[in-house]
Amino acid sequence: MLDTASLITAVQPAADRLRTLPESALRRGAAAEGLALARELAVRAQRLEFPGHTPLELPDVGVFAVGDQVLVAAHDLAEILRDVDADHELADAVGLVQLATARIAAGATGKR
């Protein structure tokens, strides 16, 4: 069984940041970056769990929910990665989260 703690450890600060940003920062681009991350994590999870099926798109439920969406999508992917024991997929996901965390910070300031 694959240890996916690195993914959760990487995503937690991004989710926390999104949850605590003011609305103005979320609307400047941080929420859009967070939603893009959540959607990509969800797509990766669906492709692993349901190979051969077209992934469904994670809906945009608003700027105030995006931190939760990021965290839930990461936890879903972590669970699936544990089951399929795909360490290369885990490393890719951690890298994706690290890059997205920087984009979220830049989006919060409006400097992308």
Side-chain angles (χ1 to χ4, degrees):
M1 185 175 269
L2 185 63
D3 179 7
T4 58
S6 60
L7 177 56
I8 303 308
T9 299
V11 82
Q12 192 67 54
D16 289 345
R17 178 96 193 258
L18 287 163
R19 288 176 174 153
T20 60
L21 284 172
E23 181 177 3
S24 59
L26 290 166
R27 294 200 184 280
R28 271 193 299 271
E33 294 293 347
L35 181 59
L37 173 60
R39 284 179 170 167
E40 179 60 25
L41 294 172
V43 164
R44 289 175 183 221
Q46 290 177 65
R47 285 188 178 140
L48 288 169
E49 189 171 16
F50 306 109
H53 289 88
T54 302
L56 302 174
E57 183 175 75
L58 191 70
D60 181 348
V61 294
V63 297
F64 298 113
V66 73
D68 292 333
Q69 287 182 292
V70 167
L71 196 58
V72 168
H75 275 274
D76 286 350
L77 180 56
E79 283 298 314
I80 292 160
L81 288 172
R82 238 181 257 134
D83 290 343
V84 298
D85 199 28
D87 56 346
H88 64 285
E89 292 282 348
L90 175 61
D92 286 349
V94 169
L96 173 73
V97 168
Q98 291 169 339
L99 291 172
T101 299
R103 287 194 310 270
I104 289 166
T109 62
K111 297 178 183 177
R112 288 188 260 166

